[in-house]
Amino acid sequence: MTSSGFSGALPFRIAALAVVVVFFQIGVVSEVPVFGVNVDLSPLLVAFVGLLCGSTLGAATGFAVGLLVDLTLVQTLGVTSLILTLVGYWSGRLRELRDPQATLTPLLVGASASAASLVGYSLMEFLLGVDAPVSL
């Protein structure tokens, strides 16, 4: 155990989990629509890493997962990284400032992370001028 309370293998386990989740999302989950919508697991992973490990590791995981998603889907590089970095950071800050213990905390953080990721990505794509159909 180090002074922060985490073992040295934690970043490697999070990196392996991130790679597995991103490829599982792209290969399996994105092909199965739920209520007509494709599920996005990456904001959930990043938010929960931030909620469990703090803002620094949450932001680093968000950047790495976002970069991996952008590279595998051949999207505009850095947009998903920026959004997921913010999601991971603010989830970690919630843990550091409030230390929430309620049973509904993971549900609320997951829903907030998914909504923030979707709105943030849509806003960034719109501001960058990417031609995509935008509707209410």
Short mmCIF file of all heavy atoms in Angstrom, two decimals, residues 55-124:
data_model
loop_
_atom_site.label_atom_id
_atom_site.label_comp_id
_atom_site.label_asym_id
_atom_site.label_seq_id
_atom_site.Cartn_x
_atom_site.Cartn_y
_atom_site.Cartn_z
N SER A 55 -10.41 12.51 -8.08
CA SER A 55 -10.45 13.33 -9.28
C SER A 55 -9.26 13.13 -10.21
O SER A 55 -9.42 13.15 -11.43
CB SER A 55 -10.57 14.81 -8.90
OG SER A 55 -9.45 15.20 -8.15
N THR A 56 -8.08 12.92 -9.66
CA THR A 56 -6.90 12.78 -10.51
C THR A 56 -6.96 11.50 -11.35
O THR A 56 -6.78 11.54 -12.57
CB THR A 56 -5.62 12.77 -9.66
OG1 THR A 56 -5.60 13.95 -8.87
CG2 THR A 56 -4.39 12.71 -10.53
N LEU A 57 -7.23 10.39 -10.71
CA LEU A 57 -7.33 9.13 -11.43
C LEU A 57 -8.58 9.10 -12.32
O LEU A 57 -8.56 8.53 -13.41
CB LEU A 57 -7.33 7.95 -10.46
CG LEU A 57 -6.95 6.60 -11.04
CD1 LEU A 57 -5.62 6.66 -11.77
CD2 LEU A 57 -6.89 5.56 -9.95
N GLY A 58 -9.65 9.76 -11.90
CA GLY A 58 -10.85 9.85 -12.73
C GLY A 58 -10.60 10.64 -14.00
O GLY A 58 -11.02 10.24 -15.09
N ALA A 59 -9.90 11.78 -13.88
CA ALA A 59 -9.60 12.59 -15.06
C ALA A 59 -8.63 11.87 -15.99
O ALA A 59 -8.79 11.90 -17.22
CB ALA A 59 -9.02 13.93 -14.63
N ALA A 60 -7.63 11.20 -15.43
CA ALA A 60 -6.68 10.46 -16.27
C ALA A 60 -7.37 9.31 -16.99
O ALA A 60 -7.11 9.07 -18.18
CB ALA A 60 -5.53 9.94 -15.41
N THR A 61 -8.25 8.62 -16.29
CA THR A 61 -9.01 7.54 -16.93
C THR A 61 -9.92 8.09 -18.01
O THR A 61 -10.05 7.50 -19.09
CB THR A 61 -9.83 6.77 -15.88
OG1 THR A 61 -8.94 6.29 -14.87
CG2 THR A 61 -10.58 5.62 -16.50
N GLY A 62 -10.56 9.22 -17.75
CA GLY A 62 -11.42 9.84 -18.75
C GLY A 62 -10.67 10.21 -20.01
O GLY A 62 -11.15 9.98 -21.13
N PHE A 63 -9.48 10.77 -19.84
CA PHE A 63 -8.69 11.13 -21.01
C PHE A 63 -8.29 9.89 -21.79
O PHE A 63 -8.41 9.86 -23.02
CB PHE A 63 -7.44 11.91 -20.59
CG PHE A 63 -6.57 12.28 -21.74
CD1 PHE A 63 -6.91 13.34 -22.56
CD2 PHE A 63 -5.43 11.55 -22.03
CE1 PHE A 63 -6.12 13.67 -23.64
CE2 PHE A 63 -4.63 11.87 -23.11
CZ PHE A 63 -4.98 12.94 -23.92
N ALA A 64 -7.82 8.87 -21.09
CA ALA A 64 -7.36 7.65 -21.77
C ALA A 64 -8.50 6.93 -22.47
O ALA A 64 -8.37 6.50 -23.62
CB ALA A 64 -6.67 6.72 -20.78
N VAL A 65 -9.63 6.80 -21.79
CA VAL A 65 -10.79 6.12 -22.40
C VAL A 65 -11.31 6.92 -23.58
O VAL A 65 -11.63 6.37 -24.64
CB VAL A 65 -11.88 5.87 -21.34
CG1 VAL A 65 -13.19 5.45 -21.99
CG2 VAL A 65 -11.43 4.84 -20.34
N GLY A 66 -11.38 8.24 -23.44
CA GLY A 66 -11.85 9.08 -24.54
C GLY A 66 -10.94 9.00 -25.75
O GLY A 66 -11.40 8.93 -26.89
N LEU A 67 -9.64 8.99 -25.50
CA LEU A 67 -8.69 8.88 -26.60
C LEU A 67 -8.81 7.52 -27.29
O LEU A 67 -8.78 7.43 -28.52
CB LEU A 67 -7.26 9.09 -26.09
CG LEU A 67 -6.17 9.22 -27.14
CD1 LEU A 67 -6.42 10.44 -28.01
CD2 LEU A 67 -4.83 9.32 -26.46
N LEU A 68 -8.99 6.47 -26.51
CA LEU A 68 -9.16 5.13 -27.08
C LEU A 68 -10.44 5.04 -27.90
O LEU A 68 -10.45 4.46 -28.99
CB LEU A 68 -9.16 4.08 -25.96
CG LEU A 68 -9.22 2.62 -26.39
CD1 LEU A 68 -8.02 2.27 -27.26
CD2 LEU A 68 -9.26 1.72 -25.16
N VAL A 69 -11.52 5.64 -27.42
CA VAL A 69 -12.78 5.64 -28.17
C VAL A 69 -12.62 6.41 -29.47
O VAL A 69 -13.06 5.96 -30.53
CB VAL A 69 -13.93 6.23 -27.32
CG1 VAL A 69 -15.15 6.54 -28.16
CG2 VAL A 69 -14.29 5.29 -26.19
N ASP A 70 -11.99 7.60 -29.41
CA ASP A 70 -11.78 8.39 -30.62
C ASP A 70 -10.91 7.66 -31.64
O ASP A 70 -11.17 7.71 -32.84
CB ASP A 70 -11.14 9.73 -30.29
CG ASP A 70 -12.12 10.72 -29.68
OD1 ASP A 70 -13.34 10.51 -29.84
OD2 ASP A 70 -11.68 11.68 -29.05
N LEU A 71 -9.88 6.98 -31.17
CA LEU A 71 -8.99 6.27 -32.09
C LEU A 71 -9.66 5.05 -32.71
O LEU A 71 -9.47 4.78 -33.90
CB LEU A 71 -7.71 5.85 -31.37
CG LEU A 71 -6.73 6.98 -31.03
CD1 LEU A 71 -5.61 6.46 -30.15
CD2 LEU A 71 -6.19 7.59 -32.30
N THR A 72 -10.43 4.32 -31.93
CA THR A 72 -11.05 3.12 -32.48
C THR A 72 -12.23 3.43 -33.40
O THR A 72 -12.47 2.69 -34.35
CB THR A 72 -11.54 2.18 -31.36
OG1 THR A 72 -12.39 2.90 -30.48
CG2 THR A 72 -10.37 1.60 -30.60
N LEU A 73 -12.93 4.52 -33.14
CA LEU A 73 -14.06 4.87 -34.00
C LEU A 73 -13.70 5.86 -35.10
O LEU A 73 -14.57 6.25 -35.87
CB LEU A 73 -15.20 5.45 -33.14
CG LEU A 73 -15.86 4.47 -32.18
CD1 LEU A 73 -16.94 5.18 -31.36
CD2 LEU A 73 -16.47 3.30 -32.93
N VAL A 74 -12.43 6.28 -35.16
CA VAL A 74 -11.92 7.23 -36.15
C VAL A 74 -12.80 8.48 -36.17
O VAL A 74 -13.37 8.86 -37.19
CB VAL A 74 -11.81 6.60 -37.55
CG1 VAL A 74 -11.03 7.49 -38.49
CG2 VAL A 74 -11.17 5.22 -37.49
N GLN A 75 -12.92 9.10 -35.00
CA GLN A 75 -13.69 10.33 -34.84
C GLN A 75 -12.75 11.51 -34.74
O GLN A 75 -11.53 11.35 -34.80
CB GLN A 75 -14.53 10.26 -33.56
CG GLN A 75 -15.50 9.11 -33.51
CD GLN A 75 -16.33 9.15 -32.25
OE1 GLN A 75 -17.12 10.05 -32.07
NE2 GLN A 75 -16.12 8.19 -31.37
N THR A 76 -13.32 12.69 -34.54
CA THR A 76 -12.52 13.88 -34.30
C THR A 76 -11.71 13.67 -33.03
O THR A 76 -12.28 13.47 -31.95
CB THR A 76 -13.42 15.12 -34.16
OG1 THR A 76 -14.26 15.22 -35.31
CG2 THR A 76 -12.59 16.38 -34.02
N LEU A 77 -10.41 13.69 -33.16
CA LEU A 77 -9.52 13.31 -32.06
C LEU A 77 -9.56 14.35 -30.94
O LEU A 77 -9.36 15.53 -31.16
CB LEU A 77 -8.11 13.16 -32.58
CG LEU A 77 -7.15 12.35 -31.74
CD1 LEU A 77 -7.67 10.94 -31.56
CD2 LEU A 77 -5.79 12.30 -32.38
N GLY A 78 -9.85 13.90 -29.72
CA GLY A 78 -9.80 14.75 -28.55
C GLY A 78 -11.13 15.20 -28.01
O GLY A 78 -11.20 15.66 -26.88
N VAL A 79 -12.19 15.10 -28.79
CA VAL A 79 -13.50 15.57 -28.32
C VAL A 79 -14.00 14.68 -27.19
O VAL A 79 -14.38 15.17 -26.12
CB VAL A 79 -14.52 15.62 -29.48
CG1 VAL A 79 -15.90 15.98 -28.98
CG2 VAL A 79 -14.06 16.61 -30.53
N THR A 80 -14.01 13.39 -27.40
CA THR A 80 -14.46 12.47 -26.36
C THR A 80 -13.51 12.52 -25.17
O THR A 80 -13.96 12.42 -24.02
CB THR A 80 -14.55 11.04 -26.91
OG1 THR A 80 -15.32 11.07 -28.12
CG2 THR A 80 -15.23 10.12 -25.94
N SER A 81 -12.22 12.71 -25.42
CA SER A 81 -11.26 12.81 -24.32
C SER A 81 -11.56 14.00 -23.43
O SER A 81 -11.52 13.90 -22.20
CB SER A 81 -9.84 12.96 -24.86
OG SER A 81 -9.47 11.82 -25.58
N LEU A 82 -11.87 15.14 -24.03
CA LEU A 82 -12.19 16.34 -23.26
C LEU A 82 -13.42 16.12 -22.40
O LEU A 82 -13.43 16.43 -21.20
CB LEU A 82 -12.38 17.53 -24.19
CG LEU A 82 -12.86 18.83 -23.53
CD1 LEU A 82 -11.79 19.36 -22.59
CD2 LEU A 82 -13.21 19.86 -24.58
N ILE A 83 -14.46 15.58 -22.99
CA ILE A 83 -15.72 15.39 -22.27
C ILE A 83 -15.53 14.38 -21.13
O ILE A 83 -15.96 14.62 -20.00
CB ILE A 83 -16.83 14.92 -23.24
CG1 ILE A 83 -17.04 15.95 -24.35
CG2 ILE A 83 -18.11 14.64 -22.49
CD1 ILE A 83 -17.38 17.33 -23.88
N LEU A 84 -14.89 13.25 -21.41
CA LEU A 84 -14.74 12.23 -20.38
C LEU A 84 -13.73 12.64 -19.31
O LEU A 84 -13.85 12.20 -18.16
CB LEU A 84 -14.35 10.90 -21.01
CG LEU A 84 -15.44 10.24 -21.86
CD1 LEU A 84 -14.95 8.92 -22.42
CD2 LEU A 84 -16.72 10.07 -21.10
N THR A 85 -12.77 13.49 -19.65
CA THR A 85 -11.87 14.02 -18.63
C THR A 85 -12.66 14.86 -17.63
O THR A 85 -12.47 14.74 -16.41
CB THR A 85 -10.76 14.87 -19.27
OG1 THR A 85 -10.01 14.04 -20.16
CG2 THR A 85 -9.84 15.45 -18.22
N LEU A 86 -13.56 15.68 -18.13
CA LEU A 86 -14.39 16.50 -17.24
C LEU A 86 -15.33 15.64 -16.40
O LEU A 86 -15.53 15.90 -15.21
CB LEU A 86 -15.18 17.52 -18.06
CG LEU A 86 -14.34 18.60 -18.74
CD1 LEU A 86 -15.22 19.46 -19.64
CD2 LEU A 86 -13.61 19.44 -17.73
N VAL A 87 -15.90 14.62 -17.01
CA VAL A 87 -16.79 13.71 -16.28
C VAL A 87 -16.04 13.02 -15.15
O VAL A 87 -16.50 12.96 -14.00
CB VAL A 87 -17.43 12.68 -17.24
CG1 VAL A 87 -18.09 11.55 -16.47
CG2 VAL A 87 -18.45 13.36 -18.14
N GLY A 88 -14.85 12.50 -15.45
CA GLY A 88 -14.05 11.82 -14.43
C GLY A 88 -13.60 12.76 -13.33
O GLY A 88 -13.61 12.40 -12.14
N TYR A 89 -13.21 13.97 -13.70
CA TYR A 89 -12.75 14.93 -12.71
C TYR A 89 -13.88 15.32 -11.76
O TYR A 89 -13.71 15.32 -10.54
CB TYR A 89 -12.19 16.18 -13.39
CG TYR A 89 -11.79 17.25 -12.41
CD1 TYR A 89 -10.62 17.13 -11.68
CD2 TYR A 89 -12.59 18.36 -12.20
CE1 TYR A 89 -10.25 18.09 -10.77
CE2 TYR A 89 -12.24 19.33 -11.29
CZ TYR A 89 -11.06 19.20 -10.58
OH TYR A 89 -10.71 20.15 -9.66
N TRP A 90 -15.04 15.65 -12.31
CA TRP A 90 -16.13 16.11 -11.44
C TRP A 90 -16.72 14.98 -10.61
O TRP A 90 -17.19 15.21 -9.49
CB TRP A 90 -17.21 16.82 -12.25
CG TRP A 90 -16.73 18.18 -12.65
CD1 TRP A 90 -16.42 18.60 -13.91
CD2 TRP A 90 -16.44 19.28 -11.78
NE1 TRP A 90 -15.96 19.90 -13.87
CE2 TRP A 90 -15.97 20.34 -12.58
CE3 TRP A 90 -16.52 19.48 -10.41
CZ2 TRP A 90 -15.59 21.56 -12.05
CZ3 TRP A 90 -16.15 20.70 -9.87
CH2 TRP A 90 -15.69 21.72 -10.69
N SER A 91 -16.69 13.76 -11.12
CA SER A 91 -17.11 12.63 -10.29
C SER A 91 -16.15 12.43 -9.12
O SER A 91 -16.56 12.16 -8.00
CB SER A 91 -17.16 11.35 -11.13
OG SER A 91 -18.12 11.47 -12.15
N GLY A 92 -14.86 12.59 -9.40
CA GLY A 92 -13.87 12.48 -8.33
C GLY A 92 -13.97 13.61 -7.33
O GLY A 92 -13.78 13.41 -6.12
N ARG A 93 -14.26 14.82 -7.81
CA ARG A 93 -14.44 15.94 -6.89
C ARG A 93 -15.65 15.75 -5.99
O ARG A 93 -15.62 16.14 -4.82
CB ARG A 93 -14.58 17.27 -7.65
CG ARG A 93 -13.32 17.75 -8.28
CD ARG A 93 -12.22 17.98 -7.28
NE ARG A 93 -12.53 19.12 -6.42
CZ ARG A 93 -11.92 19.39 -5.28
NH1 ARG A 93 -10.95 18.62 -4.85
NH2 ARG A 93 -12.25 20.45 -4.58
N LEU A 94 -16.69 15.13 -6.52
CA LEU A 94 -17.85 14.82 -5.68
C LEU A 94 -17.43 13.92 -4.52
O LEU A 94 -17.82 14.14 -3.38
CB LEU A 94 -18.94 14.14 -6.51
CG LEU A 94 -20.15 13.65 -5.73
CD1 LEU A 94 -20.94 14.82 -5.18
CD2 LEU A 94 -21.02 12.78 -6.60
N ARG A 95 -16.61 12.95 -4.82
CA ARG A 95 -16.12 12.05 -3.77
C ARG A 95 -15.25 12.79 -2.76
O ARG A 95 -15.36 12.58 -1.56
CB ARG A 95 -15.32 10.91 -4.38
CG ARG A 95 -14.69 10.01 -3.33
CD ARG A 95 -13.79 8.99 -3.98
NE ARG A 95 -13.29 8.08 -2.97
CZ ARG A 95 -12.05 8.14 -2.49
NH1 ARG A 95 -11.22 9.07 -2.92
NH2 ARG A 95 -11.65 7.28 -1.58
N GLU A 96 -14.38 13.65 -3.26
CA GLU A 96 -13.44 14.34 -2.37
C GLU A 96 -14.12 15.40 -1.51
O GLU A 96 -13.73 15.61 -0.36
CB GLU A 96 -12.33 14.98 -3.20
CG GLU A 96 -11.44 13.96 -3.87
CD GLU A 96 -10.54 14.55 -4.93
OE1 GLU A 96 -10.62 15.76 -5.21
OE2 GLU A 96 -9.76 13.78 -5.51
N LEU A 97 -15.12 16.06 -2.06
CA LEU A 97 -15.77 17.14 -1.30
C LEU A 97 -16.89 16.64 -0.40
O LEU A 97 -17.07 17.13 0.71
CB LEU A 97 -16.32 18.19 -2.26
CG LEU A 97 -15.28 18.96 -3.06
CD1 LEU A 97 -15.96 19.91 -4.03
CD2 LEU A 97 -14.34 19.72 -2.13
N ARG A 98 -17.70 15.71 -0.87
CA ARG A 98 -18.89 15.29 -0.14
C ARG A 98 -18.80 13.90 0.46
O ARG A 98 -19.47 13.62 1.43
CB ARG A 98 -20.12 15.34 -1.05
CG ARG A 98 -20.40 16.68 -1.63
CD ARG A 98 -21.05 17.55 -0.64
NE ARG A 98 -21.32 18.85 -1.25
CZ ARG A 98 -21.53 19.93 -0.59
NH1 ARG A 98 -21.53 19.89 0.71
NH2 ARG A 98 -21.75 21.07 -1.19
N ASP A 99 -18.01 13.02 -0.15
CA ASP A 99 -17.93 11.61 0.25
C ASP A 99 -19.34 11.03 0.40
O ASP A 99 -19.76 10.66 1.50
CB ASP A 99 -17.13 11.43 1.52
CG ASP A 99 -16.75 9.97 1.75
OD1 ASP A 99 -16.70 9.23 0.74
OD2 ASP A 99 -16.52 9.59 2.90
N PRO A 100 -20.08 10.95 -0.72
CA PRO A 100 -21.48 10.52 -0.64
C PRO A 100 -21.59 9.05 -0.24
O PRO A 100 -20.86 8.20 -0.74
CB PRO A 100 -22.01 10.74 -2.05
CG PRO A 100 -20.80 10.70 -2.92
CD PRO A 100 -19.66 11.21 -2.08
N GLN A 101 -22.50 8.77 0.65
CA GLN A 101 -22.71 7.41 1.15
C GLN A 101 -24.11 6.89 0.85
O GLN A 101 -24.45 5.79 1.26
CB GLN A 101 -22.47 7.38 2.66
CG GLN A 101 -21.06 7.74 3.07
CD GLN A 101 -20.04 6.73 2.61
OE1 GLN A 101 -20.31 5.54 2.57
NE2 GLN A 101 -18.87 7.21 2.23
N ALA A 102 -24.94 7.67 0.18
CA ALA A 102 -26.32 7.25 -0.09
C ALA A 102 -26.34 6.08 -1.07
O ALA A 102 -25.44 5.92 -1.90
CB ALA A 102 -27.12 8.41 -0.67
N THR A 103 -27.36 5.27 -0.97
CA THR A 103 -27.45 4.10 -1.84
C THR A 103 -27.77 4.48 -3.28
O THR A 103 -27.47 3.72 -4.20
CB THR A 103 -28.52 3.13 -1.32
OG1 THR A 103 -29.77 3.82 -1.21
CG2 THR A 103 -28.13 2.57 0.04
N LEU A 104 -28.37 5.64 -3.49
CA LEU A 104 -28.70 6.07 -4.85
C LEU A 104 -27.57 6.84 -5.53
O LEU A 104 -27.71 7.24 -6.67
CB LEU A 104 -29.96 6.93 -4.83
CG LEU A 104 -31.26 6.21 -4.54
CD1 LEU A 104 -32.42 7.19 -4.53
CD2 LEU A 104 -31.51 5.12 -5.57
N THR A 105 -26.46 7.04 -4.85
CA THR A 105 -25.36 7.83 -5.41
C THR A 105 -24.85 7.25 -6.73
O THR A 105 -24.70 8.01 -7.69
CB THR A 105 -24.22 7.96 -4.39
OG1 THR A 105 -24.72 8.63 -3.24
CG2 THR A 105 -23.06 8.73 -4.97
N PRO A 106 -24.56 5.96 -6.84
CA PRO A 106 -24.08 5.45 -8.13
C PRO A 106 -25.09 5.64 -9.27
O PRO A 106 -24.69 5.96 -10.39
CB PRO A 106 -23.84 3.96 -7.88
CG PRO A 106 -23.66 3.85 -6.42
CD PRO A 106 -24.51 4.91 -5.82
N LEU A 107 -26.36 5.49 -8.97
CA LEU A 107 -27.38 5.68 -9.99
C LEU A 107 -27.42 7.14 -10.46
O LEU A 107 -27.45 7.41 -11.66
CB LEU A 107 -28.74 5.25 -9.45
CG LEU A 107 -29.93 5.38 -10.39
CD1 LEU A 107 -29.76 4.44 -11.56
CD2 LEU A 107 -31.22 5.12 -9.67
N LEU A 108 -27.38 8.06 -9.52
CA LEU A 108 -27.42 9.48 -9.87
C LEU A 108 -26.16 9.93 -10.59
O LEU A 108 -26.22 10.70 -11.55
CB LEU A 108 -27.67 10.32 -8.62
CG LEU A 108 -29.02 10.11 -7.94
CD1 LEU A 108 -29.09 10.91 -6.65
CD2 LEU A 108 -30.14 10.49 -8.86
N VAL A 109 -25.02 9.46 -10.13
CA VAL A 109 -23.75 9.82 -10.78
C VAL A 109 -23.70 9.22 -12.18
O VAL A 109 -23.27 9.89 -13.13
CB VAL A 109 -22.55 9.36 -9.92
CG1 VAL A 109 -21.25 9.47 -10.70
CG2 VAL A 109 -22.47 10.18 -8.65
N GLY A 110 -24.14 7.99 -12.36
CA GLY A 110 -24.15 7.37 -13.68
C GLY A 110 -25.09 8.08 -14.65
O GLY A 110 -24.72 8.33 -15.80
N ALA A 111 -26.27 8.45 -14.18
CA ALA A 111 -27.21 9.17 -15.03
C ALA A 111 -26.68 10.56 -15.39
O ALA A 111 -26.78 11.00 -16.54
CB ALA A 111 -28.56 9.28 -14.33
N SER A 112 -26.10 11.23 -14.40
CA SER A 112 -25.54 12.56 -14.66
C SER A 112 -24.35 12.49 -15.62
O SER A 112 -24.21 13.34 -16.50
CB SER A 112 -25.09 13.20 -13.35
OG SER A 112 -26.17 13.34 -12.47
N ALA A 113 -23.51 11.49 -15.45
CA ALA A 113 -22.35 11.34 -16.33
C ALA A 113 -22.78 11.04 -17.76
O ALA A 113 -22.22 11.60 -18.71
CB ALA A 113 -21.44 10.23 -15.82
N SER A 114 -23.78 10.19 -17.91
CA SER A 114 -24.27 9.87 -19.26
C SER A 114 -24.89 11.09 -19.93
O SER A 114 -24.63 11.37 -21.10
CB SER A 114 -25.29 8.74 -19.19
OG SER A 114 -24.69 7.57 -18.74
N ALA A 115 -25.69 11.84 -19.17
CA ALA A 115 -26.33 13.04 -19.73
C ALA A 115 -25.28 14.10 -20.06
O ALA A 115 -25.33 14.71 -21.14
CB ALA A 115 -27.35 13.59 -18.74
N ALA A 116 -24.33 14.32 -19.17
CA ALA A 116 -23.29 15.32 -19.42
C ALA A 116 -22.44 14.92 -20.62
O ALA A 116 -22.05 15.78 -21.42
CB ALA A 116 -22.43 15.49 -18.18
N SER A 117 -22.14 13.65 -20.75
CA SER A 117 -21.35 13.17 -21.88
C SER A 117 -22.10 13.38 -23.20
O SER A 117 -21.51 13.85 -24.18
CB SER A 117 -21.02 11.70 -21.68
OG SER A 117 -20.38 11.18 -22.81
N LEU A 118 -23.35 13.04 -23.22
CA LEU A 118 -24.14 13.19 -24.44
C LEU A 118 -24.30 14.66 -24.84
O LEU A 118 -24.07 15.03 -25.99
CB LEU A 118 -25.52 12.54 -24.26
CG LEU A 118 -26.47 12.62 -25.44
CD1 LEU A 118 -25.93 11.79 -26.59
CD2 LEU A 118 -27.84 12.14 -25.04
N VAL A 119 -24.67 15.49 -23.87
CA VAL A 119 -24.85 16.92 -24.16
C VAL A 119 -23.52 17.57 -24.52
O VAL A 119 -23.44 18.35 -25.48
CB VAL A 119 -25.53 17.63 -22.97
CG1 VAL A 119 -25.49 19.13 -23.12
CG2 VAL A 119 -26.95 17.14 -22.79
N GLY A 120 -22.48 17.24 -23.78
CA GLY A 120 -21.16 17.83 -24.06
C GLY A 120 -20.63 17.42 -25.43
O GLY A 120 -20.09 18.26 -26.16
N TYR A 121 -20.77 16.16 -25.78
CA TYR A 121 -20.30 15.70 -27.08
C TYR A 121 -21.08 16.36 -28.21
O TYR A 121 -20.50 16.80 -29.21
CB TYR A 121 -20.39 14.18 -27.19
CG TYR A 121 -19.77 13.64 -28.44
CD1 TYR A 121 -18.40 13.49 -28.55
CD2 TYR A 121 -20.56 13.31 -29.54
CE1 TYR A 121 -17.81 13.02 -29.71
CE2 TYR A 121 -19.98 12.84 -30.71
CZ TYR A 121 -18.62 12.69 -30.78
OH TYR A 121 -18.04 12.23 -31.94
N SER A 122 -22.39 16.44 -28.05
CA SER A 122 -23.22 17.09 -29.08
C SER A 122 -22.85 18.55 -29.23
O SER A 122 -22.75 19.07 -30.35
CB SER A 122 -24.69 16.97 -28.72
OG SER A 122 -25.08 15.62 -28.63
N LEU A 123 -22.65 19.23 -28.12
CA LEU A 123 -22.28 20.65 -28.16
C LEU A 123 -20.91 20.85 -28.81
O LEU A 123 -20.74 21.75 -29.64
CB LEU A 123 -22.28 21.22 -26.74
CG LEU A 123 -21.98 22.70 -26.61
CD1 LEU A 123 -23.07 23.52 -27.28
CD2 LEU A 123 -21.84 23.08 -25.15
N MET A 124 -19.95 20.01 -28.47
CA MET A 124 -18.62 20.14 -29.06
C MET A 124 -18.64 19.86 -30.56
O MET A 124 -17.99 20.57 -31.34
CB MET A 124 -17.63 19.19 -28.38
CG MET A 124 -17.27 19.59 -26.97
SD MET A 124 -16.49 21.20 -26.87
CE MET A 124 -14.96 20.87 -27.69
#
